[in-house]
Amino acid sequence: GENVEQHPSTLSVQEGDSAVIKCTYSDSASNYFPWYKQELGKRPQLIIDIRSNVGEKKDQRIAVTLNKTAKHFSLHITETQPEDSAVYFCAASYSGGGADGLTFGKGTHLIIQP
Amino acid sequence: DSGVTQTPKHLITATGQRVTLRCSPRSGDLSVYWYQQSLDQGLQFLIQYYNGEERAKGNILERFSAQQFPDLHSELNLSSLELGDSALYFCASSSPRGSSGNTIYFGEGSWLTVV
């Protein structure tokens, strides 16, 4: 099955600086890569996703890049703000056998320092 | 609001007991997923159902079982509960999008505390 590695586990940045979170995946059949933001005690919420036919996608201060050859994808947050503090999860969709459940990385705790 | 409804929101029960968590997917979604999130763990995939049929199994214990009913709601049954089963259990749903992966939406979760 799919295995997703996520780094770093904790990331502390100054407000206004950029943050980058990186993930690698193992299954070359995976073709859908979403990112979720989870605040303490709340549900994970989709913030951006990318599919394998696209190399980069941007939505305001958030961007995601995908390198299918190297099997890694990254989340970039620019001009970070206090409300960006949360745990971020990357995921990959394992499409083998008709199943399409997401395999998640272990999460990155992003701390925005004022 | 994601449109995925989970009940109960909080549940406290004793070791050895059995509980049932309930999930209603978003209107029109055929797939239901169950995930477990413990304090020091990420989101562990348990099981997926699609239109009433089991489609994929993840790290689901034999003491746990699930089903999806004709009206597409799903239940996760946890039996012989142990302290380590204390966690936040999420249900999620998605609609079929074809071969390029499905967007999955999570419910608010059910907090289970085993004492």
Side-chain angles (χ1 to χ4, degrees):
Chain A
E2 177 64 276
N3 182 49
V4 177
E5 300 282 339
Q6 182 173 348
H7 299 280
S9 57
T10 303
L11 178 60
S12 181
V13 301
Q14 290 294 124
E15 182 178 350
D17 287 350
S18 295
V20 180
I21 303 171
K22 299 182 179 181
C23 290
T24 60
Y25 62 98
S26 61
D27 189 348
S28 57
S30 289
N31 51 16
Y32 175 60
F33 308 93
W35 287 87
Y36 286 82
K37 175 182 179 183
Q38 187 180 27
E39 297 175 0
L40 189 62
K42 298 191 175 181
R43 65 182 173 93
Q45 290 189 277
L46 180 71
I47 55 172
I48 194 168
D49 58 13
I50 191 167
R51 300 180 191 275
S52 60
N53 57 344
V54 176
E56 183 174 354
K57 183 176 177 180
K58 190 173 181 180
D59 182 4
Q60 298 183 333
R61 298 185 296 109
I62 295 173
V64 57
T65 58
L66 171 65
N67 183 328
K68 284 223 78 180
T69 303
K71 289 191 279 190
H72 69 69
F73 56 113
S74 300
L75 177 72
H76 305 251
I77 306 174
T78 59
E79 300 172 15
T80 52
Q81 300 170 4
E83 55 264 34
D84 295 330
S85 293
V87 179
Y88 291 81
F89 292 95
C90 64
S93 179
Y94 173 61
S95 55
D100 54 17
L102 293 172
T103 299
F104 284 87
K106 291 194 179 298
T108 296
H109 186 192
L110 177 61
I111 302 166
I112 307 301
Q113 303 277 7
Chain B
D1 182 9
S2 66
V4 179
T5 304
Q6 288 187 247
T7 57
K9 287 186 168 45
H10 298 90
L11 189 57
I12 301 174
T13 191
T15 53
Q17 295 298 306
R18 170 191 169 96
V19 299
T20 298
L21 309 181
R22 193 177 190 278
C23 170
S24 294
R26 295 187 320 152
S27 177
D29 283 359
L30 301 180
S31 276
V32 169
Y33 312 80
W34 287 96
Y35 286 86
Q36 180 193 54
Q37 187 175 40
S38 304
L39 275 178
D40 58 350
Q41 298 285 330
L43 288 153
Q44 299 291 321
F45 170 64
L46 297 178
I47 199 164
Q48 177 196 358
Y49 279 82
Y50 177 80
N51 203 22
E53 300 290 327
E54 180 184 306
R55 176 164 274 192
K57 259 186 177 180
N59 301 318
I60 187 166
L61 300 172
E62 285 193 10
R63 300 184 286 109
F64 296 0
S65 65
Q67 54 184 328
Q68 186 179 28
F69 295 87
D71 67 352
L72 301 178
H73 90 271
S74 177
E75 292 181 355
L76 178 66
N77 300 296
L78 315 174
S79 62
S80 303
L81 285 167
E82 302 175 358
L83 295 178
D85 297 328
S86 295
L88 184 53
Y89 291 84
F90 285 107
C91 172
S93 73
S94 70
S95 60
R97 287 179 59 99
S99 61
S100 62
N102 300 337
T103 301
I104 291 178
Y105 297 92
F106 284 83
E108 296 293 334
S110 292
W111 281 98
L112 174 64
T113 302
V114 182
V115 296

